[in-house]
Amino acid sequence: MAVVTVVREVLHDGSEGNTYLVKAETLEDAQKLILEASGCASIKLIGEIMDRKTINTLSEFFGIDIAASGSFRMIFNWNVIYTG
């Protein structure tokens, strides 16, 4: 079963970079999607989205069917969603 996660880049100077919504087969695959694309030092797992209601809400917000899609990564500002 695929995982949907929110991760943040950790840059080479130790500061935090972009935040991503990532869907992949495993957490390790999610990490690879970000590390290969951005070249950052590592990633910080913010959380894993497990409940169907949140996945449906994010699907409506972004205009994509997260549950039916394949693996992807998308930069976004989590604060916009989290704070309303």
Side-chain angles (χ1 to χ4, degrees):
M1 178 179 218
V3 296
V4 179
T5 60
V6 177
V7 298
R8 187 167 294 138
E9 297 172 325
V10 177
L11 305 177
H12 294 281
D13 66 2
S15 63
E16 293 184 355
N18 294 315
T19 303
Y20 293 85
L21 178 68
V22 183
K23 180 179 178 188
E25 289 302 313
T26 65
L27 288 173
E28 293 79 20
D29 290 338
Q31 181 178 12
K32 286 179 191 175
L33 278 173
I34 301 304
L35 293 176
E36 290 173 1
S38 72
C40 60
S42 63
I43 63 166
K44 175 182 174 181
L45 178 65
I46 305 295
E48 187 173 346
I49 302 170
M50 302 179 86
D51 66 288
R52 188 64 150 171
K53 183 178 178 183
T54 301
I55 290 173
N56 289 341
T57 300
L58 289 171
S59 291
E60 289 176 24
F61 183 82
F62 290 118
I64 60 172
D65 187 349
I66 293 172
S69 70
S71 296
F72 70 87
R73 69 183 186 290
M74 178 183 350
I75 295 177
F76 74 102
N77 184 344
W78 181 252
N79 294 327
V80 170
I81 297 170
Y82 185 72
T83 60

